[in-house]
Amino acid sequence: VEPVGSTSTLVSEQISYAGLSAPPPIAALLMAGIISDTLNLISPTTTHRDSKAIKRLERWAFSGGSELIGDTADSFAEKVLAAGTGLSARRPKEIVTGDLKQYTSGDNKFIVSQAEVSSLYELDEHVIELGKALSNLRESKGYDFAVLMVTDVVKGSSRLLIDNPPAILEDLPFEPCPDGTLLAEGMVSRKKQLIPVIMSLLEA
């Protein structure tokens, strides 16, 4: 266990320590793992080791004979992030349960789900259905409140849907939107950014 942004970083380091290089398809797969886990190195969970690993994997992935010849690190990252985002291709229930973490603070038991999009405008046509799915999930599992964090992986910001929020969460430092969501500028990490803010209010 190491404090890095992606397990793929650790795998690439072990390959390098052994004096080996990964074949282009494996290098590309590991590179995609780091890009996905760190949102192309912009997440607060990113470390210098992740950045070094990306450069190492880039050399291996784009070497002679690779199917990625003609791609760049940036164009490859765009494809990886685009492939993992979007709300239209999945049912609301799948979105709110797909990447879910449970937390407890005092008497509050709550969940925070996260979904990635390439534009926060995508949320506009799905906010009602996602709100219902989030509410159904909270009620069926007996949570006190539930949060869906929809993250724009391109611009690096999020919007929050909160079902049954306790009164103390009215003090969250985010901009209210007309549809009832909250705009969290510059926030992409549930673990490093959102949860500390929520916990600080609940534990005050």
Side-chain angles (χ1 to χ4, degrees), residues 60-79:
W60 298 343
F62 300 135
S63 61
S66 169
E67 294 181 7
L68 297 175
I69 291 294
D71 260 317
T72 65
D74 287 339
S75 66
F76 181 65
E78 287 178 6
K79 292 176 182 178

Side-chain angles (χ1 to χ4, degrees), residues 19-33:
L20 304 171
S21 62
I26 300 300
L29 185 63
L30 291 170
M31 192 174 173

